[in-house]
Amino acid sequence: DAKTTQPTSMDCAEGRAANLPCNHSTISGNEYVYWYRQIHSQGPQYIIHGLKNNETNEMASLIITEDRKSSTLILPHATLRDTAVYYCIVLKAAGNKLTFGGGTRVLVKP
Amino acid sequence: NAGVTQTPKFQVLKTGQSMTLQCAQDMNHEYMSWYRQDPGMGLRLIHYSVGAGITDQGEVPNGYNVSRSTTEDFPLRLLSAAPSQTSVYFCASSYATGTTVGEQYFGPGTRLTVT
């Protein structure tokens, strides 16, 4: 599975949109982009995934560039409860091993 | 649904002791997995299973055994605990069709300390 690169940390203001970037320049055609988050001391939580089209659900939106070499997770109205480590993961369609990197530590400030 | 449950929540072992971490899910998921997370680090895959009777190794399998006799349960056995196995252990499950292995549900974790 392709490697991903994320910023180590970022801050965001409560109520504003949080835009979390992820680089996956070696992604191949059958690999999906997944996002998880881990709130302190809890198990990771699945957020969203996509192949090439933009996706939206009740938690977030995922924007994937046309060349698929990068993506952005958008939390539209960040709350203090969104403070967490966010992981961007690339996984083949038939893959069965999620590989977690270092993630981005997001701190939402009042 | 209880989701993914793990027991115990906390455990302290002495070096050389053995124990089993329990994981159960009530969502009829085919796929189950075990991860460990060391302080300040990301998760690393220990073992996984794509169905009852089928298990395979992840990134860091040494020192751990698993079996999958039922769909619901996926216990992780530490054969002879070492201080290097001090970690938080997470169990996860998902359906195993198409891309759904990527949509995993995680348990609350077991915090293990080996002295």
Side-chain angles (χ1 to χ4, degrees):
Chain A
D1 298 318
K3 183 177 163 53
T4 62
T5 304
Q6 299 177 251
T8 305
S9 64
M10 59 185 294
D11 293 347
C12 137
E14 187 180 19
R16 303 296 292 271
N19 296 295
L20 283 62
C22 179
N23 182 285
H24 31 79
S25 58
T26 61
I27 195 169
S28 59
N30 67 343
E31 290 182 315
Y32 287 72
V33 180
Y34 285 83
W35 283 85
Y36 277 76
R37 73 179 183 183
Q38 186 175 25
I39 296 170
H40 181 61
S41 297
Q42 298 180 20
Q45 176 188 24
Y46 164 81
I47 300 173
I48 198 167
H49 76 280
L51 181 63
K52 52 184 177 182
N53 296 324
N54 298 338
E55 302 287 345
T56 295
N57 63 21
E58 64 279 3
M59 288 183 68
S61 295
L62 174 61
I63 310 296
I64 302 174
T65 57
E66 195 168 338
D67 64 6
R68 304 213 318 124
K69 292 185 177 183
S70 66
S71 60
T72 301
L73 179 76
I74 302 172
L75 308 177
H77 304 286
T79 72
L80 300 180
R81 287 191 298 271
D82 293 321
T83 291
V85 178
Y86 287 77
Y87 296 98
C88 170
I89 300 168
V90 169
L91 180 69
K92 285 189 176 61
N96 49 25
K97 298 181 187 180
L98 277 181
T99 300
F100 288 80
T104 297
R105 190 169 298 274
V106 174
L107 176 61
V108 180
K109 296 182 173 180
Chain B
N1 282 355
V4 178
T5 58
Q6 293 184 238
T7 55
K9 286 187 171 52
F10 300 92
Q11 182 71 49
V12 179
L13 289 179
K14 293 189 188 309
T15 297
Q17 287 184 318
S18 63
M19 80 160 293
T20 299
L21 307 186
Q22 301 292 345
C23 174
Q25 51 91 10
D26 61 358
M27 297 173 281
N28 204 30
H29 285 164
E30 301 95 344
Y31 181 93
M32 296 186 74
S33 56
W34 276 102
Y35 292 84
R36 61 176 286 176
Q37 185 172 34
D38 299 335
M41 306 289 286
L43 285 81
R44 291 183 292 169
L45 182 64
I46 305 172
H47 285 285
Y48 65 97
S49 167
V50 297
I54 306 168
T55 63
D56 207 344
Q57 296 181 349
E59 297 173 71
V60 289
N62 292 342
Y64 307 94
N65 271 359
V66 292
S67 60
R68 183 99 180 267
S69 55
T70 67
T71 299
E72 295 77 20
D73 300 297
F74 191 42
L76 178 72
R77 280 184 289 278
L78 278 70
L79 307 173
S80 176
S84 61
Q85 293 178 305
T86 292
S87 192
V88 181
Y89 291 84
F90 290 102
C91 179
S93 74
S94 71
Y95 292 110
T97 56
T99 62
T100 56
V101 167
E103 299 175 46
Q104 295 190 25
Y105 292 81
F106 281 78
T110 293
R111 281 144 186 82
L112 176 68
T113 301
V114 182
T115 61

